[in-house]
Amino acid sequence: MTGEVVALPNIQADRLQFIQTEKPRSHPPSKSLVFGHTFTDHMLRIPWSSLEGWGTPEIGPYGPLSLEPSCTVLHYAQTIFEGIKAYRDEHGKVTLFRPDMNMKRMNTSAARVALPTFDSDALLQLIKKLIHIERDWIPREPGHSLYIRPTMIGTQKFIGIAPPSEALLFVICSPVGPYYPDGFKPIALYGTTDYIRAAPGGTGAYKLGVNYAPAVMPQKEAAKLGYTQNLWLHGPEHYLTEVGTMNMFVVLKKGDAFELVTPPLDGMILPGVTRDSVLSLARDHVAGTYKLPNLPDNLIVSERPITMKEVQEAEASGNLVELFGSGTAAIISPVNRIGYLGKDVHIPTGEDGMGTVSRPIWTELVGRQMGSIPSEWSVPVTA
Amino acid sequence: MTGEVVALPNIQADRLQFIQTEKPRSHPPSKSLVFGHTFTDHMLRIPWSSLEGWGTPEIGPYGPLSLEPSCTVLHYAQTIFEGIKAYRDEHGKVTLFRPDMNMKRMNTSAARVALPTFDSDALLQLIKKLIHIERDWIPREPGHSLYIRPTMIGTQKFIGIAPPSEALLFVICSPVGPYYPDGFKPIALYGTTDYIRAAPGGTGAYKLGVNYAPAVMPQKEAAKLGYTQNLWLHGPEHYLTEVGTMNMFVVLKKGDAFELVTPPLDGMILPGVTRDSVLSLARDHVAGTYKLPNLPDNLIVSERPITMKEVQEAEASGNLVELFGSGTAAIISPVNRIGYLGKDVHIPTGEDGMGTVSRPIWTELVGRQMGSIPSEWSVPVTA
């Protein structure tokens, strides 16, 4: 031992090995697609170990993982993931929407649970190769896409609680239809006061598996009461934080102006890519650098805490304009009702389910995603 | 459909199938055992599905699980576990320590993350069969045991966030040596103010995988500062909650009496089996129904909140007698120092590492576990 520090290999895209499936499957009809049930023919796997760093990336047939019963992810929930959509435009061009944001967030998530970090560009390059191979799986119908799920799990064969000595990064792809195939359908939220999604000093700002399992039971309870999703509240003030697995926005009337409010990234909120996109579009509109058709000019964009009391008061005074969730799956999800402490707060929605502020922003976002509106957020996937 | 409700099968111990390994491994020398690294020849598996209930239990060769890359546990951390120790006494009799407590807690954990619940007695019967088959793996040396790890994971092949439609319960066994092979070694804790383990409305009272992955990075940070474990604090008052992955006790001098304090089961504290055992022994002693040799008679047993301020004040006034963690792995783990807001709180420990209250309780606990002191807590494992 000389004390010399030898850097372990990072992900090396040029070492990719491709093993083509011998059993390609037929693509199901786009109309039959249910989110997250159908997977494509191939997947990407990249192993990591603390002794050897990142190993050889392999794109091979989609199929089961062989995991030791002692491995970390099965006992201590050492798992992180991302969700990215690949779109195919009318000319057959395949694009990803702001994938750099997902790569950056995945590295942040990895560090939070002591999983290995990695070269974002190298992983993105490999994901593009996988999508290119699977490009015929992307449905051609409007609003359809290929949902990309990068995941990293701790695979060390040892049930001590420690940074894992082995990990596996894998990426699977699932063709998906539009979230609202028959037009927007506003959802009802249950203002959840018995359970939390996150707390200060916790993991709410990271895309970790651990944020999801505890939410299933509260969601079931909300569903029993007739609500679609939980509205996660925080603290005795009942600050609004997130909606189900989405970020959230409220629109308030302030005199002649509209205020678009979303809770700040205070460590409890997932830094959503769609959230960031909504804020950027709204701010560019306000600054005049990029105007959105039909979006009101007198718009105030606020990242600030907002309580249920303020939402109730806005309802009472007729100043509650809109409330919606934002996320990769649904893009924008309008809300028409919040069950809160035994009463319902009612929220206006337009005839098409959308509202004054959400409609023009949604139109722009979808245009940029599908490629009908050119933008730097749309990143081409080439061979 | 007649609307008839057909009860799905629960775990049926009498349907057990046993497939003996063809490659029995040699048992490593007891001295070489490191916690959680060595596993025995066989494992128990019981599949579950929402359509068919609990399936055929199988004890078969220890080996890898084949899991679909889309399965719930790998994405959304749907995993729960338990830790139980099997002991072999000097006459070769094999016993478990209060396994009914673990079975009950595992059912509570399952319900919290929408995994299936099960018949505790049936699972315990199957675990006993597994231990009986693996009995020669239990090291004969004092303080050694077989660590039993029941685990349940969501295995549904679908990346939607929902109650899993498929699950797998499995049990693996690991021979372990004593936590402190060379006598008690008091540990130093880092009073953690930047990270939390649990919060009201969260999952701290359940033995879920999700409580563990987020603790690894704070533990690494504490280790860098020279502390062994995190002391998890809660709220602006810095209430003491847990120590690393253990429950915790503080002993204070109150005039002529000793007060044994542990935080209450307020939804943030894991209801530990060792915690419950320490409280029971102390209360029986105070009540006079079962006296422990050498334990002070003037003992007050308190489940109540305690703040760092109270611990600091007790140190300053010379009334801080002991602080220790309790858990299945270490049984009792004395603490001699807490790093808190830049200063160290020093805690007395006896010459042997233990203290006035912990020593007689530990002696009784270990006696009951190893079988030298007969008790109902010790449950025989028979063929």
Side-chain angles (χ1 to χ4, degrees):
Chain A
M1 297 295 285
T2 60
E4 205 177 337
V5 175
V6 180
L8 291 172
N10 211 312
I11 293 179
Q12 292 167 278
D14 55 4
R15 288 178 59 199
L16 175 66
Q17 297 193 348
F18 175 45
I19 300 163
Q20 188 146 16
T21 182
E22 289 172 359
K23 298 176 186 168
R25 277 167 291 137
S26 59
H27 305 173
S30 297
K31 282 210 166 180
S32 73
L33 292 172
V34 177
F35 180 82
H37 277 268
T38 305
F39 297 92
T40 65
D41 283 329
H42 299 91
M43 63 185 289
L44 169 65
R45 303 178 198 216
I46 321 173
W48 175 88
S49 80
S50 56
L51 291 176
E52 300 184 3
W54 288 101
T56 308
E58 181 195 292
I59 293 177
Y62 182 92
L65 306 173
S66 176
L67 295 175
E68 288 292 313
S70 61
C71 91
T72 326
V73 63
L74 302 182
H75 299 263
Y76 306 128
Q78 221 136 11
T79 170
I80 65 173
F81 68 92
E82 281 295 328
I84 320 172
K85 279 184 179 170
Y87 300 89
R88 180 145 66 163
D89 76 9
E90 51 200 286
H91 311 293
K93 185 179 164 195
V94 177
T95 57
L96 285 164
F97 186 70
R98 307 188 75 186
D100 52 311
M101 299 275 287
N102 298 91
M103 295 297 101
K104 191 179 157 193
R105 187 171 64 185
M106 195 171 181
N107 263 309
T108 312
S109 300
R112 181 62 185 84
V113 284
L115 282 168
T117 55
F118 54 87
D119 181 334
S120 290
D121 291 339
L123 179 58
L124 185 52
Q125 206 178 322
L126 290 165
I127 288 176
K128 286 179 180 173
K129 290 201 177 171
L130 176 64
I131 296 168
H132 184 73
I133 290 165
E134 304 295 63
R135 64 191 178 278
D136 289 342
W137 279 91
I138 311 178
R140 289 168 186 275
E141 291 82 356
H144 289 60
S145 59
L146 191 66
Y147 181 84
I148 316 294
R149 172 57 64 94
T151 311
M152 199 198 311
I153 59 176
T155 52
Q156 135 187 299
K157 306 162 197 71
F158 159 45
I159 56 171
I161 299 165
S165 55
E166 292 178 67
L168 177 70
L169 198 163
F170 65 89
V171 183
I172 55 180
C173 305
S174 175
V176 293
Y179 203 83
Y180 294 107
D182 307 314
F184 286 99
K185 201 183 159 194
I187 59 172
L189 304 181
Y190 183 67
T192 302
T193 51
D194 291 344
Y195 303 104
I196 58 164
R197 176 189 169 273
T203 59
Y206 305 89
K207 204 155 178 75
L208 311 182
V210 304
N211 293 333
Y212 294 83
V216 173
M217 198 264 287
Q219 202 278 327
K220 270 176 76 178
E221 290 191 5
K224 261 188 211 165
L225 298 168
Y227 300 91
T228 308
Q229 288 286 356
N230 299 89
L231 172 61
W232 300 107
L233 304 173
H234 173 65
E237 304 86 353
H238 292 166
Y239 287 107
L240 287 75
T241 64
E242 293 199 19
V243 167
T245 59
M246 294 183 282
N247 291 123
M248 59 141 292
F249 289 84
V250 187
V251 181
L252 303 170
K253 192 104 179 71
K254 287 282 167 84
D256 289 341
F258 294 93
E259 185 186 13
L260 175 66
V261 183
T262 196
L265 299 179
D266 58 2
M268 287 191 290
I269 311 281
L270 192 79
V273 178
T274 312
R275 175 187 181 279
D276 184 86
S277 303
V278 169
L279 284 174
S280 294
L281 290 176
R283 283 182 173 137
D284 284 354
H285 177 79
V286 171
T289 48
Y290 186 97
K291 294 302 263 186
L292 297 191
N294 306 316
L295 187 63
D297 279 324
N298 45 358
L299 188 70
I300 304 156
V301 183
S302 300
E303 284 182 86
R304 67 165 175 90
I306 181 166
T307 63
M308 275 309 297
K309 188 164 174 245
E310 186 176 350
V311 171
Q312 282 179 311
E313 285 171 358
E315 182 203 24
S317 61
N319 291 316
L320 184 55
V321 181
E322 280 194 76
L323 200 148
F324 59 88
S326 72
T328 295
I331 308 172
I332 282 185
S333 198
V335 174
N336 62 2
R337 190 163 60 99
I338 301 171
Y340 176 61
L341 301 181
K343 283 186 201 171
D344 272 359
V345 176
H346 293 277
I347 303 147
T349 50
E351 272 182 33
D352 59 355
M354 301 290 275
T356 314
V357 171
S358 60
R359 192 183 298 108
I361 290 178
W362 176 84
T363 305
E364 176 75 19
L365 256 179
V366 171
R368 290 188 180 203
Q369 286 173 343
M370 302 300 293
S372 60
I373 303 174
S375 100
E376 285 185 354
W377 287 351
S378 187
V379 176
V381 170
T382 47
Chain B
M1 297 293 285
T2 61
E4 203 178 338
V5 175
V6 180
L8 292 172
N10 211 310
I11 294 178
Q12 292 167 277
D14 55 5
R15 288 178 60 200
L16 175 67
Q17 297 195 347
F18 175 45
I19 300 163
Q20 187 148 17
T21 183
E22 290 173 0
K23 296 176 186 167
R25 278 166 291 138
S26 60
H27 305 172
S30 298
K31 282 213 166 177
S32 73
L33 293 172
V34 176
F35 180 81
H37 277 268
T38 305
F39 298 93
T40 65
D41 283 330
H42 299 91
M43 64 185 288
L44 169 66
R45 303 179 199 213
I46 320 173
W48 175 89
S49 82
S50 56
L51 291 177
E52 302 185 2
W54 288 101
T56 307
E58 181 196 291
I59 293 177
Y62 182 93
L65 305 173
S66 175
L67 295 174
E68 287 293 312
S70 62
C71 90
T72 326
V73 62
L74 302 182
H75 298 263
Y76 306 129
Q78 221 136 12
T79 171
I80 65 173
F81 68 91
E82 281 295 327
I84 319 172
K85 279 184 179 169
Y87 300 89
R88 179 143 67 161
D89 76 8
E90 50 200 288
H91 312 292
K93 185 180 165 195
V94 177
T95 58
L96 285 164
F97 186 71
R98 308 189 74 187
D100 52 310
M101 299 276 286
N102 298 92
M103 294 298 99
K104 191 179 157 193
R105 187 170 64 185
M106 195 169 181
N107 263 309
T108 313
S109 300
R112 182 61 186 85
V113 285
L115 283 167
T117 55
F118 55 86
D119 180 334
S120 290
D121 291 338
L123 179 58
L124 185 52
Q125 206 179 322
L126 290 164
I127 289 175
K128 285 180 181 174
K129 289 201 178 170
L130 176 63
I131 296 168
H132 184 73
I133 289 165
E134 303 296 61
R135 63 192 177 281
D136 289 343
W137 279 90
I138 311 177
R140 291 171 183 273
E141 292 82 355
H144 289 60
S145 59
L146 191 66
Y147 182 84
I148 317 294
R149 170 58 64 93
T151 310
M152 199 198 312
I153 58 176
T155 52
Q156 135 185 302
K157 306 163 196 71
F158 159 45
I159 57 171
I161 299 165
S165 55
E166 292 177 67
L168 177 70
L169 198 164
F170 65 89
V171 183
I172 55 178
C173 306
S174 176
V176 294
Y179 204 83
Y180 294 106
D182 307 315
F184 286 100
K185 203 182 156 193
I187 59 172
L189 305 179
Y190 183 67
T192 302
T193 51
D194 290 344
Y195 302 103
I196 58 163
R197 175 189 169 275
T203 58
Y206 304 89
K207 203 153 179 77
L208 311 180
V210 304
N211 294 332
Y212 294 82
V216 173
M217 197 264 286
Q219 202 278 327
K220 270 175 77 176
E221 291 190 5
K224 261 188 209 162
L225 297 169
Y227 300 91
T228 308
Q229 287 285 356
N230 299 91
L231 172 60
W232 300 107
L233 303 173
H234 174 64
E237 303 86 353
H238 291 164
Y239 287 107
L240 287 74
T241 65
E242 293 199 21
V243 166
T245 58
M246 294 182 282
N247 290 124
M248 59 142 291
F249 289 85
V250 187
V251 180
L252 304 170
K253 193 101 179 68
K254 287 282 167 86
D256 288 340
F258 294 93
E259 185 187 12
L260 175 66
V261 183
T262 196
L265 299 179
D266 58 2
M268 287 192 290
I269 309 282
L270 191 79
V273 178
T274 312
R275 175 188 181 278
D276 184 85
S277 304
V278 168
L279 284 174
S280 294
L281 290 177
R283 283 182 173 138
D284 285 351
H285 178 79
V286 171
T289 49
Y290 187 97
K291 295 301 263 187
L292 297 190
N294 304 317
L295 187 63
D297 279 321
N298 45 358
L299 188 70
I300 304 156
V301 182
S302 300
E303 284 183 87
R304 68 165 177 90
I306 181 167
T307 63
M308 275 307 296
K309 187 163 173 249
E310 185 177 350
V311 171
Q312 282 179 311
E313 285 171 358
E315 182 203 23
S317 61
N319 291 317
L320 184 57
V321 181
E322 282 194 74
L323 200 148
F324 58 89
S326 72
T328 295
I331 307 172
I332 281 185
S333 198
V335 174
N336 62 3
R337 191 162 61 99
I338 301 170
Y340 176 63
L341 301 180
K343 281 186 201 170
D344 273 357
V345 176
H346 293 275
I347 302 146
T349 49
E351 271 181 31
D352 60 355
M354 302 291 273
T356 313
V357 172
S358 60
R359 192 183 298 110
I361 290 178
W362 177 83
T363 306
E364 177 74 20
L365 257 179
V366 171
R368 291 188 179 204
Q369 288 174 340
M370 302 300 291
S372 60
I373 302 174
S375 100
E376 285 184 355
W377 287 350
S378 187
V379 175
V381 171
T382 48

